[in-house]
Amino acid sequence: MESGKLDKTDLRIIRKIAEDSRQPLSSLARAANVSVDTVKNRLDAMRRAGIISRLFAEPDLAALSLRTFRLYVDVSAMPEQEAARLMRTYRQHPACQWVARGEGAWDFILRFSLPSERDFKQEVEEFMNKFGRFVKRKAITLGTYQAYFPPTYLIGGTRTAAITLDHSRKPAQLDLLDYRILEALYEDARLPNTQMAHRFGVTPEVIQYRLKGLRRQGVIHSYSAWFNPEPAGFHLYKVFFWLQNL
């Protein structure tokens, strides 16, 4: 990778790691037809450059008794420093999964994962207390069913099956260790079992057993990756349809 540009090896690594971001470096090396050291160096470089922004365990939020909400905001006369403060605030917010700034009908979109509509209402009130003087209009949605495709097909991979989030499923029975493992892998899907074992005061075998249980219950949906599509020649767009009388 030179100056943020991706070559064929980088794209092969991205395709494979988006399919399973926890797989061994040796598997990635075989798929990219390069050495393990080359994969490690390329992967580290792409993470430093922000091309791969996160490697994470994709949880089934319904299994965690969480629901997904979105807040759409159209602003007026917002100074750049306030826009930057908004982005900074919600990047660090524990209940905000992501915040996006764009052009078009909505200037900001925020996604929250929370137990109830009451919790989301409180978050909206807090947002308006902080930034309401700039808000022209806003809209909110509650997610009941979602399906999305990992973006590997954009860079020469196959279009894999949709990842679905069905909020009608029953919550899983989890304990504190399960939640700590999920939190660690949401931050870094490649965190070794040995490091988690040392951090949580258990053996690597216990971590492996718990991971198998989380996958078996569907609590961990997949190990995925977020990557910046611009170096591959793509831009991200969202289209919104507001329906009635269905």
Side-chain angles (χ1 to χ4, degrees), residues 49-194:
I51 293 170
I52 295 176
S53 58
R54 191 170 204 166
L55 303 172
F56 65 104
E58 180 80 59
D60 185 326
L61 297 175
L64 304 178
S65 300
L66 295 173
R67 309 190 76 180
T68 59
F69 304 85
R70 282 180 172 83
L71 171 62
Y72 303 85
V73 183
D74 182 18
V75 300
S76 176
M78 174 179 262
E80 183 58 34
Q81 62 267 27
E82 285 297 302
R85 184 170 74 90
L86 187 158
M87 294 294 292
R88 184 170 58 252
T89 298
Y90 286 95
R91 281 188 185 125
Q92 299 170 353
H93 193 294
C96 184
Q97 280 191 294
W98 52 259
V99 54
R101 185 180 183 184
E103 299 177 358
W106 303 106
D107 296 303
F108 297 94
I109 306 174
L110 301 89
R111 173 175 165 171
F112 293 86
S113 296
L114 294 160
S116 69
E117 294 179 32
R118 179 179 179 181
D119 294 306
F120 180 57
K121 182 179 179 180
Q122 292 176 347
E123 292 294 346
V124 174
E125 290 175 354
E126 182 179 332
F127 180 94
M128 295 302 292
N129 288 336
K130 292 177 179 177
F131 302 104
R133 63 190 182 278
F134 305 112
V135 174
K136 284 196 301 184
R137 63 190 178 110
K138 68 181 188 298
I140 61 175
T141 60
L142 164 65
T144 56
Y145 178 85
Q146 301 173 63
Y148 65 95
F149 295 90
T152 52
Y153 65 93
L154 296 175
I155 51 176
T158 58
R159 183 161 182 154
T160 58
I163 295 174
T164 59
L165 302 175
D166 185 353
H167 292 275
S168 65
R169 69 158 287 175
K170 294 181 179 179
Q173 298 297 314
L174 306 177
D175 64 12
L176 179 60
L177 179 58
D178 292 322
Y179 280 107
R180 294 179 74 183
I181 292 171
L182 285 170
E183 182 180 15
L185 292 179
Y186 188 71
E187 291 301 318
D188 184 1
R190 299 195 63 77
L191 192 65
N193 288 359
T194 52

Side-chain angles (χ1 to χ4, degrees), residues 226-238:
W226 287 343
F227 79 96
N228 177 6
E230 291 190 3
F234 294 94
H235 298 278
L236 179 63
Y237 298 90
K238 287 183 178 288

Side-chain angles (χ1 to χ4, degrees), residues 106 114 162 215 219-220:
W106 303 106
L114 294 160
R215 289 303 300 269
V219 177
I220 294 178

